[in-house]
Amino acid sequence: MLIALPLLLIPVVLYNIVILFGATGGGGMAEADAILRDPLFSVPMTSGANWNVGVGDLILFLSLILLFFELLKSTSSQKVAIVNHALSLIVFVVCLVEFLLIRGFATSTFFLILAMVMLDVLAGFIVTIIAARKDLDFGGA
């Protein structure tokens, strides 16, 4: 049943931990942006520039990887996939509420995570509908 859990819940939880527990003050926008953008490490590039990688960048990178696996999972027609779609929809609603109502979540990083969760929900439902339609077509022949 663990396979039914949406993988994009991981970056959402990580973002919540970083913002809610990493903010020492009131958790305002400036502090949230600083936490996400402050470089964890820097990579020297061949051009002579330094590529600064922050917490927000790492969370987004993880989100993209997990979105790929979520899209692969959405192509399965198992009964677990329907539970996964429903849980993904719940994660989307929670993310949307956080983005709109909680200070510190109205950042570009969280918006992109929200967009990935929304794409996961849409892709899951669309793939399920198309697969069900194909099953119906084959059944009628």
Side-chain angles (χ1 to χ4, degrees):
M1 195 63 181
L2 196 58
I3 192 127
L5 285 177
L7 294 175
L8 287 173
L9 184 63
I10 296 169
V12 171
V13 169
L14 282 175
Y15 188 94
N16 276 277
I17 290 170
V18 167
I19 294 303
L20 296 177
F21 296 118
T24 55
M29 285 302 302
E31 191 173 0
D33 264 349
I35 291 170
L36 295 171
R37 294 180 194 267
D38 284 346
L40 286 176
F41 58 90
S42 184
V43 179
M45 305 302 285
T46 324
S47 64
N50 283 330
W51 174 34
N52 297 322
V53 180
V55 174
D57 300 324
L58 292 177
I59 292 174
L60 283 176
F61 180 65
L62 175 67
S63 300
L64 285 170
I65 292 170
L66 293 177
L67 178 63
F68 171 75
F69 287 111
E70 273 295 319
L71 292 176
L72 289 179
K73 276 179 28 178
S74 71
T75 60
S76 88
S77 59
Q78 300 175 358
K79 292 180 183 178
V80 172
I82 307 244
V83 175
N84 179 281
H85 301 329
L87 292 175
S88 292
L89 183 61
I90 291 170
V91 171
F92 172 70
V93 169
V94 168
C95 287
L96 185 62
V97 168
E98 285 180 333
F99 181 71
L100 293 174
L101 300 178
I102 300 176
R103 199 176 280 253
F105 285 83
T107 62
S108 295
T109 301
F110 195 72
F111 175 76
L112 291 173
I113 293 171
L114 174 68
M116 286 183 229
V117 173
M118 183 187 66
L119 287 174
D120 173 38
V121 170
L122 290 175
F125 284 125
I126 289 170
V127 167
T128 301
I129 289 169
I130 290 172
R133 190 171 24 170
K134 285 183 181 179
D135 287 344
L136 186 64
D137 288 343
F138 288 129

